Amino acid sequence: DIVMTQSPFSLAVSEGEMVTINCKSSQSLLSSGNQKNYLAWYQQKPGQSPKLLIYYASTRQSGVPDRFIGSGSGTDFTLTISDVQAEDLADYYCLQHYSSPNTFGAGTKLELK
Amino acid sequence: QVTLKESGPGMLQPSKTLSLTCSFSGFSLSTSGMVVSWIRQPSGKSLEWLAAIDWDGDKYYNPSLKSRLTVSKDTSNTQVFLKITSVDIADTATYYCARRRDYGSYFDYWGQGVMVTVSS
């Protein structure tokens, strides 16, 4: 199985700050066939199901604010949230969908400082 | 509008079989490439992919649980089912079903989840 190592476990921020969340995979997620990285980011608020933010490492899902930016390739990926808003306080997870079984990172809890 | 909704027993005893249903609308599981997956999340923990079934009826399982899992779908392609045999306390979790538009793709729509507690 591909292991997804996500960091940090938690992050305390003030509104308006920029934060970065990291995800490292134990194997490359880059497809040689289509040059896409099979890495997605999800946001999960308390009591809700995960919501897709970013797919193929850097493509923002429709309706997601442009302050959410995904980057990285191969084994190292980053989710950057610029100008954090109170509504962004949630848990964030990375997912590799390169190979089965698909695996998730341990999650990052974004909290208010 | 794509929607998925899970249903289940809420609580069951150890060693029993857990049966879950995912009812969905807004897409057809008979559409080429479409896949519905089951994913679970223990309270306060991360997510674990369990199983999937695709438009053609092919089934996929997490090897760590494969011997206990059975995924199926109804003939009208509007519901997907998951059975987990011999449950124990470690199976206590919120269970989600989620859609992907092809097997290698990401999960784009999720259900609201159903909480299942295994307790004697």
Side-chain angles (χ1 to χ4, degrees):
Chain A
D1 298 5
I2 295 178
V3 176
M4 303 300 292
T5 303
Q6 189 174 338
S7 63
F9 177 75
S10 66
L11 212 44
V13 298
S14 300
E15 276 194 82
E17 289 186 350
M18 183 177 77
V19 300
T20 58
I21 299 169
N22 302 296
C23 201
K24 186 175 182 68
S25 57
S26 59
Q27 300 173 37
S28 176
L29 306 182
L30 178 63
S31 169
S32 57
N34 59 14
Q35 290 301 298
K36 290 182 178 180
N37 286 280
Y38 283 53
L39 186 285
W41 289 98
Y42 292 86
Q43 176 193 65
Q44 186 178 34
K45 296 182 179 179
Q48 297 184 16
S49 57
K51 171 190 170 185
L52 177 66
L53 295 176
I54 303 284
Y55 58 93
Y56 294 135
S58 60
T59 303
R60 205 176 294 114
Q61 174 71 332
S62 175
V64 172
D66 59 9
R67 63 179 181 273
F68 291 91
I69 301 166
S71 61
S73 184
T75 61
D76 292 280
F77 302 90
T78 299
L79 175 67
T80 300
I81 312 172
S82 61
D83 188 23
V84 168
Q85 303 296 301
E87 68 209 50
D88 301 335
L89 302 180
D91 294 333
Y92 292 84
Y93 295 94
C94 58
L95 160 74
Q96 70 80 14
H97 52 99
Y98 181 84
S99 70
S100 184
N102 296 163
T103 47
F104 293 84
T108 296
K109 179 177 288 292
L110 195 60
E111 301 173 304
L112 205 55
K113 193 180 290 183
Chain B
Q1 181 189 1
V2 172
T3 64
L4 303 98
K5 186 173 184 179
E6 306 85 350
S7 57
M11 181 178 287
L12 75 167
Q13 295 178 328
S15 81
K16 301 297 187 183
T17 296
L18 170 60
S19 295
L20 298 169
T21 299
C22 173
S23 303
F24 55 86
S25 62
F27 69 97
S28 174
L29 191 47
S30 61
T31 300
S32 178
M34 205 67 71
V35 183
V36 172
S37 294
W38 286 97
I39 297 155
R40 71 180 179 182
Q41 183 177 37
S43 180
K45 297 188 178 181
S46 186
L47 300 138
E48 179 182 33
W49 176 82
L50 300 175
I53 189 165
D54 72 12
W55 65 282
D56 204 26
D58 289 331
K59 303 170 185 180
Y60 308 87
Y61 296 104
N62 190 321
S64 67
L65 289 157
K66 183 175 182 177
S67 64
R68 298 172 53 213
L69 301 178
T70 304
V71 65
S72 60
K73 62 187 176 91
D74 72 338
T75 53
S76 65
N77 285 300
T78 60
Q79 290 186 316
V80 169
F81 311 101
L82 181 70
K83 289 188 188 299
I84 306 178
T85 59
S86 304
V87 297
D88 71 7
I89 293 172
D91 295 309
T92 295
T94 296
Y95 287 76
Y96 298 99
C97 58
R99 184 193 86 156
R100 61 201 320 174
R101 280 186 284 187
D102 65 72
Y103 188 67
S105 183
Y106 43 87
F107 308 109
D108 57 357
Y109 288 91
W110 296 60
Q112 65 190 26
V114 61
M115 184 175 288
V116 175
T117 302
V118 178
S119 173
S120 54

